[in-house]
Amino acid sequence: MPAGLYKKLQEHVSLFAEKPFHHLLDNHSLSGSWRGYRSINITGDWRVIYEPIGTDIARLMEVGTHHNLYGT
């Protein structure tokens, strides 16, 4: 992960904790091998994949570029 990106990751995860469906996060469900998981944006290319667990809990699973996570 590029050095400057870590701070942006922290900011977006904090925003996610407060407002999980804030428009900056583009929170959306996934399909295929990630079915049952969701994704939020960190930048235009970097994503966090998470697993929703209950109403107020999420398990962060992966962080990476769109290509690294989805192969496209």
Coordinates of all heavy atoms in Angstrom, one line a residue:
M1 N 0.8 -1.2 0.0 CA 0.0 0.0 0.0 C 0.9 1.2 0.0 O 1.8 1.3 0.8 CB -0.9 0.0 1.2 CG -1.7 1.2 1.4 SD -2.8 1.2 2.9 CE -4.0 -0.1 2.4
P2 N 0.7 2.1 -0.9 CA 1.4 3.4 -0.9 C 1.3 4.1 0.4 O 0.3 4.1 1.0 CB 0.8 4.2 -2.1 CG 0.2 3.2 -3.0 CD -0.3 2.1 -2.1
A3 N 2.4 4.8 0.8 CA 2.4 5.5 2.1 C 1.3 6.4 2.4 O 0.7 6.4 3.4 CB 3.8 6.2 2.2
G4 N 1.0 7.3 1.4 CA -0.1 8.3 1.6 C -1.5 7.7 1.7 O -2.4 8.3 2.2
L5 N -1.6 6.4 1.2 CA -2.9 5.8 1.2 C -3.4 5.3 2.5 O -4.6 5.2 2.8 CB -2.9 4.6 0.2 CG -4.2 4.0 -0.2 CD1 -5.1 5.0 -0.8 CD2 -4.0 2.8 -1.1
Y6 N -2.5 5.0 3.4 CA -2.8 4.5 4.7 C -3.7 5.5 5.5 O -4.7 5.1 6.1 CB -1.6 4.1 5.5 CG -1.9 3.5 6.8 CD1 -2.4 2.2 6.9 CD2 -1.8 4.1 8.0 CE1 -2.8 1.5 8.1 CE2 -2.1 3.5 9.2 CZ -2.6 2.2 9.2 OH -3.0 1.6 10.4
K7 N -3.3 6.8 5.4 CA -4.1 7.8 6.1 C -5.5 7.9 5.5 O -6.5 8.0 6.3 CB -3.4 9.2 6.0 CG -4.2 10.3 6.7 CD -3.4 11.6 6.6 CE -4.2 12.7 7.0 NZ -4.4 13.2 8.3
K8 N -5.7 7.8 4.2 CA -7.0 7.8 3.6 C -7.8 6.6 4.0 O -9.0 6.7 4.2 CB -6.8 7.8 2.1 CG -8.0 8.0 1.3 CD -8.0 9.3 0.6 CE -9.2 9.5 -0.3 NZ -9.6 10.8 -0.4
L9 N -7.1 5.4 4.1 CA -7.8 4.2 4.6 C -8.3 4.4 6.0 O -9.5 4.1 6.3 CB -6.8 3.0 4.6 CG -7.3 1.7 5.3 CD1 -8.4 1.1 4.5 CD2 -6.1 0.8 5.4
Q10 N -7.5 5.0 6.9 CA -8.0 5.3 8.3 C -9.2 6.2 8.3 O -10.1 6.0 9.0 CB -6.8 5.9 9.1 CG -5.7 4.9 9.4 CD -4.6 5.6 10.2 OE1 -4.1 6.7 9.7 NE2 -4.2 5.0 11.3
E11 N -9.1 7.2 7.4 CA -10.2 8.2 7.4 C -11.5 7.5 6.9 O -12.6 7.7 7.4 CB -9.9 9.4 6.4 CG -8.8 10.3 6.9 CD -8.3 11.2 5.9 OE1 -8.7 11.2 4.7 OE2 -7.4 12.0 6.2
H12 N -11.4 6.7 5.9 CA -12.6 6.0 5.3 C -13.2 5.0 6.3 O -14.4 4.8 6.3 CB -12.4 5.5 3.9 CG -12.5 6.6 2.9 ND1 -13.3 6.5 1.8 CD2 -11.8 7.8 2.8 CE1 -13.2 7.6 1.1 NE2 -12.3 8.4 1.6
V13 N -12.3 4.3 6.9 CA -12.8 3.3 7.9 C -13.5 4.0 9.1 O -14.5 3.5 9.6 CB -11.6 2.3 8.4 CG1 -12.1 1.5 9.6 CG2 -11.2 1.4 7.2
S14 N -12.9 5.1 9.5 CA -13.6 5.9 10.6 C -15.0 6.4 10.1 O -15.9 6.3 10.8 CB -12.7 7.1 11.0 OG -11.6 6.7 11.6
L15 N -15.0 6.9 8.9 CA -16.3 7.3 8.3 C -17.3 6.2 8.2 O -18.5 6.3 8.6 CB -16.1 7.9 6.9 CG -17.3 8.4 6.2 CD1 -18.1 9.5 7.0 CD2 -17.0 8.9 4.8
F16 N -16.8 5.0 7.8 CA -17.6 3.8 7.7 C -18.2 3.5 9.1 O -19.3 3.1 9.2 CB -16.8 2.6 7.2 CG -17.5 1.3 7.2 CD1 -18.5 1.0 6.3 CD2 -17.1 0.3 8.1 CE1 -19.1 -0.2 6.3 CE2 -17.7 -0.9 8.1 CZ -18.7 -1.1 7.2
A17 N -17.4 3.6 10.1 CA -17.8 3.3 11.5 C -19.0 4.2 11.9 O -19.9 3.8 12.7 CB -16.7 3.4 12.5
E18 N -18.9 5.5 11.5 CA -19.9 6.5 11.8 C -21.2 6.4 10.9 O -22.3 6.5 11.4 CB -19.3 7.9 11.8 CG -18.3 8.1 12.9 CD -17.7 9.5 12.8 OE1 -18.4 10.4 12.3 OE2 -16.5 9.6 13.2
K19 N -20.9 6.4 9.6 CA -22.0 6.4 8.6 C -21.6 5.4 7.5 O -21.1 5.8 6.4 CB -22.1 7.8 8.0 CG -22.5 8.9 9.0 CD -22.5 10.3 8.4 CE -22.9 11.3 9.4 NZ -23.0 12.6 8.9
P20 N -22.0 4.2 7.7 CA -21.6 3.1 6.7 C -22.0 3.3 5.3 O -21.4 2.8 4.4 CB -22.2 1.8 7.3 CG -22.8 2.2 8.6 CD -22.7 3.6 8.8
F21 N -23.1 4.1 5.1 CA -23.6 4.2 3.7 C -23.4 5.7 3.2 O -24.1 6.1 2.3 CB -25.1 3.8 3.7 CG -25.2 2.3 3.8 CD1 -25.4 1.7 5.0 CD2 -25.0 1.5 2.7 CE1 -25.5 0.4 5.2 CE2 -25.1 0.1 2.8 CZ -25.3 -0.5 4.1
H22 N -22.4 6.3 3.8 CA -22.0 7.7 3.3 C -21.7 7.6 1.8 O -21.0 6.6 1.4 CB -20.9 8.2 4.1 CG -20.6 9.7 3.8 ND1 -20.0 10.1 2.7 CD2 -20.9 10.8 4.6 CE1 -19.9 11.4 2.7 NE2 -20.4 11.9 3.9
H23 N -22.1 8.6 1.0 CA -21.9 8.5 -0.4 C -20.5 8.4 -0.9 O -20.2 7.8 -1.9 CB -22.6 9.7 -1.1 CG -21.9 11.0 -0.9 ND1 -22.1 11.8 0.2 CD2 -21.0 11.6 -1.7 CE1 -21.3 12.8 0.1 NE2 -20.7 12.8 -1.1
L24 N -19.5 8.9 -0.1 CA -18.1 8.8 -0.4 C -17.6 7.4 -0.4 O -16.6 7.1 -1.1 CB -17.3 9.6 0.5 CG -17.4 11.2 0.4 CD1 -16.5 11.8 1.5 CD2 -16.9 11.6 -1.0
L25 N -18.3 6.5 0.3 CA -17.8 5.1 0.5 C -18.3 4.2 -0.7 O -17.7 3.2 -0.9 CB -18.3 4.6 1.8 CG -17.8 5.3 3.0 CD1 -18.4 4.7 4.3 CD2 -16.3 5.3 3.1
D26 N -19.4 4.6 -1.3 CA -20.0 3.8 -2.4 C -20.1 2.3 -1.9 O -19.7 1.4 -2.5 CB -19.1 3.8 -3.7 CG -19.8 3.1 -4.8 OD1 -21.1 3.0 -4.8 OD2 -19.1 2.6 -5.7
N27 N -20.7 2.2 -0.7 CA -20.9 0.9 -0.1 C -21.9 0.1 -0.9 O -23.0 0.5 -1.2 CB -21.5 1.1 1.3 CG -21.5 -0.1 2.1 OD1 -21.6 -1.3 1.6 ND2 -21.6 0.0 3.4
H28 N -21.4 -1.1 -1.4 CA -22.2 -1.9 -2.2 C -22.0 -3.4 -2.0 O -20.9 -3.8 -1.6 CB -22.0 -1.6 -3.7 CG -20.6 -1.7 -4.2 ND1 -19.7 -0.8 -3.9 CD2 -20.0 -2.7 -4.9 CE1 -18.5 -1.2 -4.5 NE2 -18.7 -2.3 -5.1
S29 N -23.0 -4.2 -2.3 CA -22.8 -5.7 -2.2 C -22.0 -6.2 -3.3 O -21.9 -5.7 -4.4 CB -24.2 -6.3 -2.1 OG -24.9 -6.1 -3.3
L30 N -21.4 -7.4 -3.1 CA -20.6 -8.1 -4.1 C -21.2 -9.3 -4.6 O -22.2 -9.9 -3.9 CB -19.2 -8.3 -3.5 CG -18.4 -7.1 -3.1 CD1 -17.1 -7.5 -2.4 CD2 -18.2 -6.2 -4.3
S31 N -20.7 -9.9 -5.7 CA -21.3 -11.1 -6.2 C -20.1 -12.1 -6.5 O -19.0 -11.8 -6.2 CB -22.1 -10.8 -7.5 OG -21.3 -10.2 -8.4
G32 N -20.4 -13.2 -7.1 CA -19.4 -14.1 -7.5 C -18.8 -14.7 -6.3 O -19.5 -15.1 -5.3
S33 N -17.4 -14.9 -6.3 CA -16.7 -15.5 -5.1 C -16.8 -14.6 -3.9 O -16.5 -15.1 -2.8 CB -15.3 -15.8 -5.5 OG -14.6 -14.6 -5.8
W34 N -17.2 -13.4 -4.0 CA -17.4 -12.5 -2.8 C -18.8 -12.3 -2.4 O -19.2 -11.4 -1.7 CB -16.8 -11.1 -3.1 CG -15.3 -11.1 -3.1 CD1 -14.4 -11.0 -4.1 CD2 -14.4 -11.3 -1.9 NE1 -13.1 -11.0 -3.7 CE2 -13.1 -11.2 -2.4 CE3 -14.7 -11.5 -0.6 CZ2 -12.0 -11.3 -1.5 CZ3 -13.6 -11.6 0.3 CH2 -12.3 -11.5 -0.2
R35 N -19.7 -13.2 -2.9 CA -21.1 -13.1 -2.6 C -21.3 -13.1 -1.1 O -20.7 -13.9 -0.4 CB -21.9 -14.3 -3.2 CG -23.4 -14.2 -3.0 CD -24.1 -15.3 -3.8 NE -25.5 -15.2 -3.7 CZ -26.2 -14.5 -4.6 NH1 -25.7 -14.0 -5.6 NH2 -27.5 -14.4 -4.4
G36 N -22.2 -12.3 -0.5 CA -22.4 -12.2 0.9 C -21.5 -11.1 1.6 O -21.6 -10.8 2.7
Y37 N -20.5 -10.6 0.8 CA -19.6 -9.5 1.3 C -20.0 -8.2 0.7 O -20.8 -8.2 -0.3 CB -18.2 -9.9 1.0 CG -17.7 -11.1 1.7 CD1 -17.9 -12.4 1.1 CD2 -17.0 -11.0 2.9 CE1 -17.4 -13.5 1.8 CE2 -16.5 -12.1 3.5 CZ -16.8 -13.4 3.0 OH -16.3 -14.5 3.6
R38 N -19.4 -7.2 1.2 CA -19.7 -5.8 0.7 C -18.3 -5.1 0.5 O -17.3 -5.6 1.0 CB -20.6 -5.0 1.6 CG -22.0 -5.7 1.8 CD -22.9 -4.8 2.6 NE -23.2 -3.6 1.9 CZ -24.2 -3.4 1.0 NH1 -24.9 -4.4 0.7 NH2 -24.4 -2.2 0.5
S39 N -18.4 -4.0 -0.3 CA -17.2 -3.3 -0.5 C -17.4 -1.8 -0.3 O -18.5 -1.3 -0.5 CB -16.8 -3.5 -2.0 OG -15.6 -2.7 -2.3
I40 N -16.4 -1.1 0.2 CA -16.4 0.4 0.3 C -15.1 0.9 -0.4 O -14.1 0.2 -0.5 CB -16.4 0.9 1.7 CG1 -15.2 0.4 2.5 CG2 -17.7 0.5 2.4 CD1 -15.1 1.1 3.9
N41 N -15.2 2.1 -1.0 CA -14.1 2.7 -1.7 C -13.2 3.5 -0.7 O -13.7 4.1 0.2 CB -14.7 3.7 -2.7 CG -15.3 3.1 -3.9 OD1 -15.4 1.9 -4.0 ND2 -15.8 3.9 -4.8
I42 N -11.9 3.4 -1.0 CA -11.0 4.2 -0.3 C -10.5 5.3 -1.2 O -10.4 6.5 -0.8 CB -9.7 3.3 0.2 CG1 -10.2 2.2 1.0 CG2 -8.7 4.2 0.8 CD1 -11.0 2.6 2.2
T43 N -10.2 4.9 -2.5 CA -10.0 5.9 -3.5 C -10.7 5.4 -4.8 O -11.5 4.4 -4.6 CB -8.5 6.0 -3.9 OG1 -8.1 4.8 -4.5 CG2 -7.6 6.3 -2.7
G44 N -10.5 6.0 -5.9 CA -11.1 5.5 -7.1 C -10.7 4.0 -7.5 O -11.5 3.3 -8.1
D45 N -9.6 3.6 -7.0 CA -9.1 2.2 -7.3 C -9.0 1.3 -6.1 O -9.1 0.1 -6.3 CB -7.7 2.3 -8.0 CG -7.2 1.0 -8.6 OD1 -8.1 0.2 -9.1 OD2 -6.0 0.7 -8.6
W46 N -8.7 1.9 -5.0 CA -8.5 1.0 -3.8 C -9.9 0.8 -3.1 O -10.7 1.7 -2.9 CB -7.6 1.7 -2.8 CG -6.1 1.6 -3.3 CD1 -5.5 2.3 -4.3 CD2 -5.2 0.6 -2.8 NE1 -4.2 1.8 -4.4 CE2 -4.0 0.8 -3.6 CE3 -5.2 -0.4 -1.9 CZ2 -2.9 0.0 -3.4 CZ3 -4.1 -1.2 -1.7 CH2 -2.9 -0.9 -2.4
R47 N -10.0 -0.5 -2.6 CA -11.3 -0.9 -1.9 C -11.0 -1.6 -0.6 O -9.9 -2.2 -0.4 CB -12.0 -1.9 -2.8 CG -12.3 -1.5 -4.2 CD -13.4 -0.5 -4.3 NE -13.8 -0.3 -5.7 CZ -13.4 0.6 -6.5 NH1 -12.4 1.4 -6.1 NH2 -13.8 0.8 -7.7
V48 N -12.0 -1.7 0.2 CA -12.0 -2.6 1.4 C -13.2 -3.5 1.2 O -14.3 -3.0 1.0 CB -12.1 -1.8 2.7 CG1 -12.3 -2.7 3.9 CG2 -10.9 -0.9 3.0
I49 N -12.9 -4.8 1.3 CA -14.0 -5.8 1.3 C -14.3 -6.1 2.8 O -13.4 -6.4 3.5 CB -13.6 -7.0 0.5 CG1 -13.5 -6.6 -1.0 CG2 -14.7 -8.1 0.7 CD1 -13.0 -7.8 -1.9
Y50 N -15.6 -6.2 3.1 CA -15.9 -6.5 4.5 C -17.1 -7.5 4.5 O -17.8 -7.6 3.6 CB -16.2 -5.3 5.3 CG -17.5 -4.6 5.1 CD1 -18.7 -4.9 5.8 CD2 -17.6 -3.6 4.1 CE1 -19.9 -4.2 5.5 CE2 -18.8 -3.0 3.8 CZ -19.9 -3.3 4.6 OH -21.1 -2.7 4.3
E51 N -17.2 -8.2 5.6 CA -18.3 -9.1 5.9 C -19.2 -8.5 6.9 O -18.8 -8.2 8.1 CB -17.8 -10.4 6.3 CG -18.9 -11.4 6.6 CD -18.3 -12.7 7.1 OE1 -17.2 -12.8 7.6 OE2 -19.0 -13.7 7.1
P52 N -20.5 -8.2 6.6 CA -21.4 -7.7 7.6 C -21.7 -8.8 8.6 O -22.1 -9.9 8.2 CB -22.6 -7.2 6.8 CG -22.4 -7.7 5.4 CD -21.1 -8.2 5.3
I53 N -21.6 -8.5 9.9 CA -22.0 -9.5 10.9 C -22.9 -8.8 11.9 O -22.5 -7.9 12.6 CB -20.7 -9.9 11.7 CG1 -19.7 -10.5 10.7 CG2 -21.1 -10.9 12.8 CD1 -18.5 -11.0 11.3
G54 N -24.2 -9.1 11.8 CA -25.2 -8.5 12.7 C -25.4 -7.1 12.2 O -25.1 -6.7 11.1
T55 N -26.0 -6.3 13.0 CA -26.5 -4.9 12.7 C -25.3 -3.9 12.7 O -25.2 -3.1 11.9 CB -27.6 -4.5 13.6 OG1 -28.6 -5.4 13.6 CG2 -28.1 -3.1 13.2
D56 N -24.5 -4.0 13.8 CA -23.5 -3.0 14.0 C -22.0 -3.5 13.9 O -21.1 -2.8 14.4 CB -23.7 -2.3 15.3 CG -25.0 -1.5 15.4 OD1 -25.4 -1.0 14.3 OD2 -25.6 -1.5 16.4
I57 N -21.8 -4.7 13.4 CA -20.5 -5.3 13.3 C -20.1 -5.6 11.9 O -20.9 -6.2 11.2 CB -20.4 -6.5 14.3 CG1 -20.7 -6.1 15.7 CG2 -19.0 -7.1 14.2 CD1 -20.8 -7.3 16.6
A58 N -18.8 -5.4 11.6 CA -18.3 -5.7 10.2 C -16.9 -6.3 10.4 O -16.1 -5.7 11.2 CB -18.3 -4.6 9.3
R59 N -16.6 -7.3 9.7 CA -15.2 -7.9 9.7 C -14.6 -7.5 8.4 O -15.0 -7.8 7.3 CB -15.3 -9.4 9.8 CG -13.9 -10.1 9.8 CD -14.0 -11.6 9.8 NE -14.8 -12.0 11.0 CZ -15.5 -13.1 11.0 NH1 -15.7 -13.8 9.9 NH2 -16.2 -13.4 12.0
L60 N -13.5 -6.6 8.6 CA -12.7 -6.2 7.4 C -11.9 -7.4 6.9 O -11.2 -8.0 7.7 CB -11.8 -5.0 7.7 CG -12.5 -3.8 8.3 CD1 -11.5 -2.7 8.5 CD2 -13.7 -3.3 7.4
M61 N -12.1 -7.7 5.6 CA -11.5 -8.9 5.1 C -10.2 -8.7 4.2 O -9.2 -9.3 4.4 CB -12.5 -9.7 4.2 CG -13.8 -10.1 5.0 SD -13.5 -11.2 6.4 CE -13.0 -12.7 5.5
E62 N -10.3 -7.7 3.3 CA -9.2 -7.5 2.4 C -9.2 -6.0 2.0 O -10.2 -5.3 2.0 CB -9.5 -8.3 1.0 CG -9.5 -9.8 1.2 CD -8.1 -10.4 1.3 OE1 -7.1 -9.7 0.9 OE2 -8.0 -11.5 1.7
V63 N -8.0 -5.5 1.7 CA -7.8 -4.2 1.2 C -6.9 -4.3 0.0 O -5.9 -5.1 0.0 CB -7.0 -3.3 2.3 CG1 -6.7 -1.9 1.7 CG2 -7.8 -3.2 3.5
G64 N -7.3 -3.7 -1.1 CA -6.4 -3.8 -2.3 C -7.0 -3.0 -3.4 O -8.1 -2.4 -3.3
T65 N -6.3 -3.0 -4.6 CA -6.8 -2.4 -5.7 C -8.0 -3.2 -6.3 O -8.1 -4.4 -6.1 CB -5.7 -2.2 -6.8 OG1 -5.3 -3.5 -7.3 CG2 -4.5 -1.4 -6.3
H66 N -8.7 -2.5 -7.1 CA -9.9 -3.2 -7.8 C -9.3 -4.4 -8.5 O -9.9 -5.5 -8.4 CB -10.6 -2.2 -8.8 CG -11.8 -2.8 -9.3 ND1 -11.9 -3.6 -10.4 CD2 -13.1 -2.6 -8.9 CE1 -13.2 -3.9 -10.6 NE2 -13.9 -3.3 -9.7
H67 N -8.3 -4.3 -9.3 CA -7.7 -5.4 -10.0 C -7.2 -6.5 -9.1 O -7.5 -7.7 -9.4 CB -6.5 -4.9 -10.9 CG -5.9 -6.0 -11.7 ND1 -6.5 -6.6 -12.8 CD2 -4.7 -6.7 -11.5 CE1 -5.7 -7.6 -13.3 NE2 -4.6 -7.6 -12.5
N68 N -6.5 -6.2 -8.0 CA -6.0 -7.2 -7.1 C -7.1 -8.0 -6.5 O -7.0 -9.2 -6.2 CB -5.1 -6.6 -6.1 CG -3.8 -6.2 -6.6 OD1 -3.4 -6.6 -7.7 ND2 -3.1 -5.3 -5.9
L69 N -8.2 -7.3 -6.1 CA -9.3 -8.0 -5.4 C -10.3 -8.7 -6.4 O -10.8 -9.8 -6.0 CB -10.1 -6.9 -4.6 CG -9.4 -6.3 -3.5 CD1 -10.2 -5.1 -2.9 CD2 -9.0 -7.3 -2.4
Y70 N -10.5 -8.2 -7.5 CA -11.5 -8.8 -8.4 C -11.0 -9.3 -9.7 O -11.7 -9.9 -10.5 CB -12.6 -7.7 -8.7 CG -13.2 -7.0 -7.5 CD1 -13.1 -5.6 -7.5 CD2 -13.7 -7.7 -6.5 CE1 -13.6 -4.9 -6.4 CE2 -14.3 -7.0 -5.4 CZ -14.2 -5.6 -5.3 OH -14.7 -5.0 -4.2
G71 N -9.7 -9.0 -10.0 CA -9.1 -9.5 -11.2 C -9.5 -8.8 -12.5 O -9.2 -9.3 -13.6
T72 N -10.2 -7.7 -12.3 CA -10.6 -6.9 -13.5 C -10.1 -5.5 -13.4 O -9.8 -5.0 -12.3 CB -12.1 -6.9 -13.7 OG1 -12.7 -6.4 -12.5 CG2 -12.6 -8.3 -13.9

